Amino acid sequence: MSLLSIVIPAYNEGALIANTAKVVAGIMDQNGIEYEMIFVNDGSKDTTWEEIEQAHNDNAKVRGVCFSRNFGKEGAVFAGLEHAKGDCCVVMDCDLQHPPETIVEMYRLWEQGYEVVEGVKASRGKESLIHKMFVKMFYGMMSGSTGVDMSRASDFKLLDRKAVDAFIALPERHVFFRALSSWVGFKTTSVEFDVQERQQGQSKWSFRSLFRYAVTNVTSFSTAPMQIVMGCGVVVFVFSVIFAIYSVVKWFMGYSLEGFTTVIILLLFIGSVLMFGLGIIGYYIAKIYEEVKRRPRYIVTTTTDEEETK
């Protein structure tokens, strides 16, 4: 029987581990799916790792990977996929906002021959207006720059072993799983799901962390910010040509421009565009610097497999 690996990144989710492991295991057993569950402790500061160890003791099909520090969700997803042994792998959130019942539907589609099954959001659940606007802007930029519709995309998806191996083989250090898992191609379909409410606790994503996450992923997967700088340069050039023509016409008509205020405004505007452009270029150079250092995506201190062999 085919083995399904379920990868679950966890950061300060100690209160949720036991329930998540129990719920997911119950659904898999009920539907006769052979599975393993891989929790990745992303440098949590609470009892997340202890809860993962306890879940492993209660159910041998639950495995755990523990990071030396917080490396971020993308690193945790990558580690889970690298440690997975299954013929196909599902990535889902620990808070059960990704309904585990949908995994069964994804698995059945995989059995029909699909190699990537995308979980797309039919609804986003309860979100603030600012959060919705920010998300819409972010995915609009990603969709426009990559040519892939990401308006309802999520990290909740199933990958065949071939797709997993292709994803793991990608050389870049900074990966954007949500986009790259689509970029690798293969025979793809999708299933819709409604985002569920968290079982306990609060989301670990603040507006600041979401903004940093968005900037990191846009620059790691897209050159859209560079194109924006070029667009600003074109706008400034067109504006300069128009103003130059206006100035020449006024000069031929015998009028002199009262230029001090105009010059100050133009200098501030052009200077702002230049500094904005240099900032974006500098950020891309910093990303190149981080990539060429070839540091590991994550560092593992221990796994439940290692503890069993001690």
mmCIF file of all heavy atoms in Angstrom, residues 32-64:
data_model
loop_
_atom_site.group_PDB
_atom_site.id
_atom_site.type_symbol
_atom_site.label_atom_id
_atom_site.label_comp_id
_atom_site.label_asym_id
_atom_site.label_seq_id
_atom_site.Cartn_x
_atom_site.Cartn_y
_atom_site.Cartn_z
ATOM 1 N N GLY A 32 -8.633 4.218 5.847
ATOM 2 C CA GLY A 32 -7.742 3.143 5.417
ATOM 3 C C GLY A 32 -6.521 3.624 4.646
ATOM 4 O O GLY A 32 -6.035 2.941 3.740
ATOM 5 N N ILE A 33 -5.991 4.782 5.015
ATOM 6 C CA ILE A 33 -4.815 5.339 4.335
ATOM 7 C C ILE A 33 -3.578 5.084 5.184
ATOM 8 O O ILE A 33 -3.535 5.452 6.361
ATOM 9 C CB ILE A 33 -4.987 6.846 4.082
ATOM 10 C CG1 ILE A 33 -6.203 7.102 3.174
ATOM 11 C CG2 ILE A 33 -3.730 7.443 3.472
ATOM 12 C CD1 ILE A 33 -6.522 8.573 2.970
ATOM 13 N N GLU A 34 -2.571 4.440 4.598
ATOM 14 C CA GLU A 34 -1.302 4.228 5.286
ATOM 15 C C GLU A 34 -0.553 5.559 5.308
ATOM 16 O O GLU A 34 -0.352 6.191 4.268
ATOM 17 C CB GLU A 34 -0.477 3.169 4.555
ATOM 18 C CG GLU A 34 0.780 2.748 5.286
ATOM 19 C CD GLU A 34 0.501 2.036 6.604
ATOM 20 O OE1 GLU A 34 -0.588 1.431 6.734
ATOM 21 O OE2 GLU A 34 1.364 2.097 7.493
ATOM 22 N N TYR A 35 -0.109 5.990 6.471
ATOM 23 C CA TYR A 35 0.433 7.339 6.601
ATOM 24 C C TYR A 35 1.589 7.401 7.592
ATOM 25 O O TYR A 35 1.807 6.489 8.397
ATOM 26 C CB TYR A 35 -0.666 8.302 7.065
ATOM 27 C CG TYR A 35 -1.046 8.091 8.521
ATOM 28 C CD1 TYR A 35 -0.455 8.859 9.534
ATOM 29 C CD2 TYR A 35 -1.970 7.112 8.890
ATOM 30 C CE1 TYR A 35 -0.786 8.649 10.867
ATOM 31 C CE2 TYR A 35 -2.300 6.901 10.215
ATOM 32 C CZ TYR A 35 -1.707 7.671 11.208
ATOM 33 O OH TYR A 35 -2.019 7.451 12.528
ATOM 34 N N GLU A 36 2.312 8.501 7.518
ATOM 35 C CA GLU A 36 3.220 8.944 8.565
ATOM 36 C C GLU A 36 2.991 10.440 8.738
ATOM 37 O O GLU A 36 2.640 11.136 7.781
ATOM 38 C CB GLU A 36 4.680 8.662 8.209
ATOM 39 C CG GLU A 36 5.186 9.439 7.003
ATOM 40 C CD GLU A 36 6.686 9.294 6.785
ATOM 41 O OE1 GLU A 36 7.347 8.632 7.605
ATOM 42 O OE2 GLU A 36 7.193 9.854 5.788
ATOM 43 N N MET A 37 3.147 10.915 9.963
ATOM 44 C CA MET A 37 2.927 12.323 10.266
ATOM 45 C C MET A 37 4.247 12.906 10.750
ATOM 46 O O MET A 37 4.840 12.380 11.699
ATOM 47 C CB MET A 37 1.845 12.453 11.350
ATOM 48 C CG MET A 37 1.047 13.735 11.318
ATOM 49 S SD MET A 37 -0.197 13.787 12.653
ATOM 50 C CE MET A 37 -0.975 12.179 12.471
ATOM 51 N N ILE A 38 4.718 13.957 10.101
ATOM 52 C CA ILE A 38 6.012 14.551 10.444
ATOM 53 C C ILE A 38 5.813 15.965 10.962
ATOM 54 O O ILE A 38 5.483 16.883 10.194
ATOM 55 C CB ILE A 38 6.959 14.566 9.231
ATOM 56 C CG1 ILE A 38 7.104 13.159 8.652
ATOM 57 C CG2 ILE A 38 8.328 15.129 9.617
ATOM 58 C CD1 ILE A 38 7.871 13.109 7.348
ATOM 59 N N PHE A 39 5.970 16.156 12.262
ATOM 60 C CA PHE A 39 5.926 17.492 12.850
ATOM 61 C C PHE A 39 7.336 18.084 12.824
ATOM 62 O O PHE A 39 8.303 17.415 13.214
ATOM 63 C CB PHE A 39 5.435 17.437 14.297
ATOM 64 C CG PHE A 39 3.964 17.202 14.444
ATOM 65 C CD1 PHE A 39 3.469 15.917 14.638
ATOM 66 C CD2 PHE A 39 3.069 18.257 14.392
ATOM 67 C CE1 PHE A 39 2.107 15.696 14.779
ATOM 68 C CE2 PHE A 39 1.709 18.043 14.530
ATOM 69 C CZ PHE A 39 1.221 16.756 14.726
ATOM 70 N N VAL A 40 7.462 19.317 12.374
ATOM 71 C CA VAL A 40 8.754 19.997 12.350
ATOM 72 C C VAL A 40 8.709 21.143 13.360
ATOM 73 O O VAL A 40 7.970 22.114 13.168
ATOM 74 C CB VAL A 40 9.089 20.536 10.947
ATOM 75 C CG1 VAL A 40 10.472 21.190 10.956
ATOM 76 C CG2 VAL A 40 9.047 19.413 9.918
ATOM 77 N N ASN A 41 9.480 21.009 14.427
ATOM 78 C CA ASN A 41 9.535 22.041 15.454
ATOM 79 C C ASN A 41 10.491 23.138 15.008
ATOM 80 O O ASN A 41 11.708 22.971 15.019
ATOM 81 C CB ASN A 41 10.001 21.430 16.782
ATOM 82 C CG ASN A 41 10.190 22.480 17.859
ATOM 83 O OD1 ASN A 41 9.465 23.474 17.905
ATOM 84 N ND2 ASN A 41 11.178 22.280 18.723
ATOM 85 N N ASP A 42 9.926 24.282 14.626
ATOM 86 C CA ASP A 42 10.705 25.379 14.046
ATOM 87 C C ASP A 42 11.245 26.304 15.138
ATOM 88 O O ASP A 42 10.924 27.492 15.190
ATOM 89 C CB ASP A 42 9.831 26.144 13.049
ATOM 90 C CG ASP A 42 10.607 27.193 12.272
ATOM 91 O OD1 ASP A 42 11.848 27.102 12.234
ATOM 92 O OD2 ASP A 42 9.972 28.092 11.697
ATOM 93 N N GLY A 43 12.062 25.758 16.036
ATOM 94 C CA GLY A 43 12.688 26.569 17.079
ATOM 95 C C GLY A 43 11.706 27.143 18.074
ATOM 96 O O GLY A 43 11.884 28.283 18.530
ATOM 97 N N SER A 44 10.689 26.384 18.432
ATOM 98 C CA SER A 44 9.665 26.881 19.357
ATOM 99 C C SER A 44 10.248 27.140 20.742
ATOM 100 O O SER A 44 11.207 26.479 21.182
ATOM 101 C CB SER A 44 8.526 25.863 19.470
ATOM 102 O OG SER A 44 7.934 25.624 18.213
ATOM 103 N N LYS A 45 9.638 28.101 21.448
ATOM 104 C CA LYS A 45 10.078 28.455 22.790
ATOM 105 C C LYS A 45 9.160 27.876 23.858
ATOM 106 O O LYS A 45 9.372 28.119 25.050
ATOM 107 C CB LYS A 45 10.161 29.977 22.932
ATOM 108 C CG LYS A 45 11.212 30.620 22.019
ATOM 109 C CD LYS A 45 11.214 32.126 22.156
ATOM 110 C CE LYS A 45 12.331 32.754 21.328
ATOM 111 N NZ LYS A 45 12.175 32.499 19.884
ATOM 112 N N ASP A 46 8.133 27.152 23.458
ATOM 113 C CA ASP A 46 7.224 26.543 24.430
ATOM 114 C C ASP A 46 7.483 25.033 24.471
ATOM 115 O O ASP A 46 8.601 24.574 24.248
ATOM 116 C CB ASP A 46 5.768 26.876 24.087
ATOM 117 C CG ASP A 46 5.344 26.295 22.739
ATOM 118 O OD1 ASP A 46 6.200 25.699 22.041
ATOM 119 O OD2 ASP A 46 4.159 26.426 22.380
ATOM 120 N N THR A 47 6.467 24.256 24.756
ATOM 121 C CA THR A 47 6.619 22.806 24.931
ATOM 122 C C THR A 47 6.337 22.038 23.637
ATOM 123 O O THR A 47 6.020 20.852 23.690
ATOM 124 C CB THR A 47 5.666 22.319 26.038
ATOM 125 O OG1 THR A 47 4.302 22.621 25.653
ATOM 126 C CG2 THR A 47 5.975 22.982 27.362
ATOM 127 N N THR A 48 6.457 22.689 22.501
ATOM 128 C CA THR A 48 6.124 22.033 21.230
ATOM 129 C C THR A 48 6.893 20.728 21.039
ATOM 130 O O THR A 48 6.307 19.701 20.688
ATOM 131 C CB THR A 48 6.404 22.979 20.053
ATOM 132 O OG1 THR A 48 5.533 24.114 20.140
ATOM 133 C CG2 THR A 48 6.164 22.282 18.723
ATOM 134 N N TRP A 49 8.212 20.744 21.259
ATOM 135 C CA TRP A 49 8.997 19.531 21.023
ATOM 136 C C TRP A 49 8.618 18.422 21.996
ATOM 137 O O TRP A 49 8.516 17.248 21.616
ATOM 138 C CB TRP A 49 10.493 19.820 21.108
ATOM 139 C CG TRP A 49 11.325 18.589 20.855
ATOM 140 C CD1 TRP A 49 12.192 17.982 21.711
ATOM 141 C CD2 TRP A 49 11.347 17.799 19.655
ATOM 142 N NE1 TRP A 49 12.747 16.867 21.139
ATOM 143 C CE2 TRP A 49 12.248 16.728 19.859
ATOM 144 C CE3 TRP A 49 10.687 17.886 18.426
ATOM 145 C CZ2 TRP A 49 12.511 15.759 18.893
ATOM 146 C CZ3 TRP A 49 10.945 16.923 17.462
ATOM 147 C CH2 TRP A 49 11.837 15.876 17.698
ATOM 148 N N GLU A 50 8.398 18.768 23.243
ATOM 149 C CA GLU A 50 7.989 17.754 24.231
ATOM 150 C C GLU A 50 6.659 17.122 23.841
ATOM 151 O O GLU A 50 6.460 15.903 23.987
ATOM 152 C CB GLU A 50 7.887 18.377 25.630
ATOM 153 C CG GLU A 50 9.220 18.747 26.276
ATOM 154 C CD GLU A 50 9.856 19.986 25.677
ATOM 155 O OE1 GLU A 50 9.144 20.725 24.952
ATOM 156 O OE2 GLU A 50 11.062 20.221 25.933
ATOM 157 N N GLU A 51 5.747 17.948 23.317
ATOM 158 C CA GLU A 51 4.448 17.426 22.880
ATOM 159 C C GLU A 51 4.602 16.520 21.645
ATOM 160 O O GLU A 51 3.893 15.525 21.506
ATOM 161 C CB GLU A 51 3.505 18.589 22.569
ATOM 162 C CG GLU A 51 3.053 19.386 23.782
ATOM 163 C CD GLU A 51 2.173 18.564 24.727
ATOM 164 O OE1 GLU A 51 1.520 17.617 24.251
ATOM 165 O OE2 GLU A 51 2.161 18.878 25.927
ATOM 166 N N ILE A 52 5.531 16.884 20.763
ATOM 167 C CA ILE A 52 5.783 16.036 19.590
ATOM 168 C C ILE A 52 6.341 14.688 20.033
ATOM 169 O O ILE A 52 5.941 13.628 19.524
ATOM 170 C CB ILE A 52 6.750 16.750 18.617
ATOM 171 C CG1 ILE A 52 6.072 17.973 18.003
ATOM 172 C CG2 ILE A 52 7.212 15.790 17.517
ATOM 173 C CD1 ILE A 52 7.000 18.838 17.163
ATOM 174 N N GLU A 53 7.275 14.708 20.983
ATOM 175 C CA GLU A 53 7.833 13.454 21.507
ATOM 176 C C GLU A 53 6.742 12.594 22.137
ATOM 177 O O GLU A 53 6.707 11.366 21.952
ATOM 178 C CB GLU A 53 8.931 13.750 22.525
ATOM 179 C CG GLU A 53 10.197 14.349 21.922
ATOM 180 C CD GLU A 53 11.242 14.657 22.975
ATOM 181 O OE1 GLU A 53 10.899 15.338 23.968
ATOM 182 O OE2 GLU A 53 12.393 14.230 22.818
ATOM 183 N N GLN A 54 5.826 13.228 22.873
ATOM 184 C CA GLN A 54 4.740 12.480 23.498
ATOM 185 C C GLN A 54 3.799 11.899 22.448
ATOM 186 O O GLN A 54 3.355 10.749 22.556
ATOM 187 C CB GLN A 54 3.958 13.400 24.445
ATOM 188 C CG GLN A 54 2.847 12.704 25.226
ATOM 189 C CD GLN A 54 3.345 11.560 26.071
ATOM 190 O OE1 GLN A 54 4.291 11.721 26.844
ATOM 191 N NE2 GLN A 54 2.729 10.389 25.940
ATOM 192 N N ALA A 55 3.516 12.683 21.398
ATOM 193 C CA ALA A 55 2.665 12.183 20.322
ATOM 194 C C ALA A 55 3.327 11.000 19.625
ATOM 195 O O ALA A 55 2.646 10.050 19.216
ATOM 196 C CB ALA A 55 2.386 13.310 19.319
ATOM 197 N N HIS A 56 4.656 11.048 19.492
ATOM 198 C CA HIS A 56 5.395 9.927 18.896
ATOM 199 C C HIS A 56 5.301 8.690 19.777
ATOM 200 O O HIS A 56 5.153 7.562 19.284
ATOM 201 C CB HIS A 56 6.851 10.330 18.698
ATOM 202 C CG HIS A 56 7.740 9.202 18.276
ATOM 203 N ND1 HIS A 56 7.663 8.609 17.037
ATOM 204 C CD2 HIS A 56 8.722 8.528 18.960
ATOM 205 C CE1 HIS A 56 8.559 7.632 16.953
ATOM 206 N NE2 HIS A 56 9.208 7.568 18.101
ATOM 207 N N ASN A 57 5.395 8.882 21.092
ATOM 208 C CA ASN A 57 5.279 7.752 22.013
ATOM 209 C C ASN A 57 3.887 7.129 21.969
ATOM 210 O O ASN A 57 3.736 5.906 22.108
ATOM 211 C CB ASN A 57 5.606 8.198 23.439
ATOM 212 C CG ASN A 57 7.064 8.597 23.601
ATOM 213 O OD1 ASN A 57 7.938 8.105 22.877
ATOM 214 N ND2 ASN A 57 7.345 9.501 24.535
ATOM 215 N N ASP A 58 2.873 7.972 21.757
ATOM 216 C CA ASP A 58 1.497 7.479 21.699
ATOM 217 C C ASP A 58 1.179 6.814 20.361
ATOM 218 O O ASP A 58 0.332 5.929 20.286
ATOM 219 C CB ASP A 58 0.518 8.640 21.927
ATOM 220 C CG ASP A 58 0.636 9.218 23.337
ATOM 221 O OD1 ASP A 58 1.144 8.504 24.226
ATOM 222 O OD2 ASP A 58 0.242 10.384 23.523
ATOM 223 N N ASN A 59 1.848 7.275 19.303
ATOM 224 C CA ASN A 59 1.575 6.765 17.954
ATOM 225 C C ASN A 59 2.889 6.714 17.184
ATOM 226 O O ASN A 59 3.464 7.751 16.862
ATOM 227 C CB ASN A 59 0.566 7.669 17.244
ATOM 228 C CG ASN A 59 0.211 7.174 15.844
ATOM 229 O OD1 ASN A 59 0.766 6.199 15.347
ATOM 230 N ND2 ASN A 59 -0.725 7.868 15.191
ATOM 231 N N ALA A 60 3.381 5.530 16.899
ATOM 232 C CA ALA A 60 4.678 5.362 16.226
ATOM 233 C C ALA A 60 4.694 5.955 14.828
ATOM 234 O O ALA A 60 5.772 6.194 14.262
ATOM 235 C CB ALA A 60 5.043 3.881 16.162
ATOM 236 N N LYS A 61 3.515 6.220 14.258
ATOM 237 C CA LYS A 61 3.455 6.799 12.915
ATOM 238 C C LYS A 61 3.712 8.309 12.937
ATOM 239 O O LYS A 61 3.842 8.926 11.889
ATOM 240 C CB LYS A 61 2.093 6.520 12.280
ATOM 241 C CG LYS A 61 1.843 5.036 12.001
ATOM 242 C CD LYS A 61 0.493 4.821 11.337
ATOM 243 C CE LYS A 61 0.251 3.349 11.045
ATOM 244 N NZ LYS A 61 -1.057 3.122 10.386
ATOM 245 N N VAL A 62 3.771 8.883 14.130
ATOM 246 C CA VAL A 62 4.097 10.302 14.287
ATOM 247 C C VAL A 62 5.602 10.427 14.462
ATOM 248 O O VAL A 62 6.196 9.777 15.324
ATOM 249 C CB VAL A 62 3.372 10.913 15.494
ATOM 250 C CG1 VAL A 62 3.830 12.354 15.707
ATOM 251 C CG2 VAL A 62 1.868 10.859 15.307
ATOM 252 N N ARG A 63 6.231 11.242 13.627
ATOM 253 C CA ARG A 63 7.661 11.493 13.703
ATOM 254 C C ARG A 63 7.901 12.977 13.945
ATOM 255 O O ARG A 63 7.029 13.802 13.679
ATOM 256 C CB ARG A 63 8.370 11.036 12.428
ATOM 257 C CG ARG A 63 8.208 9.554 12.115
ATOM 258 C CD ARG A 63 8.639 9.235 10.701
ATOM 259 N NE ARG A 63 10.014 9.664 10.468
ATOM 260 C CZ ARG A 63 10.505 9.985 9.265
ATOM 261 N NH1 ARG A 63 9.727 9.963 8.191
ATOM 262 N NH2 ARG A 63 11.765 10.352 9.129
ATOM 263 N N GLY A 64 9.082 13.298 14.451
ATOM 264 C CA GLY A 64 9.390 14.694 14.750
ATOM 265 C C GLY A 64 10.780 15.085 14.304
ATOM 266 O O GLY A 64 11.707 14.278 14.335
#
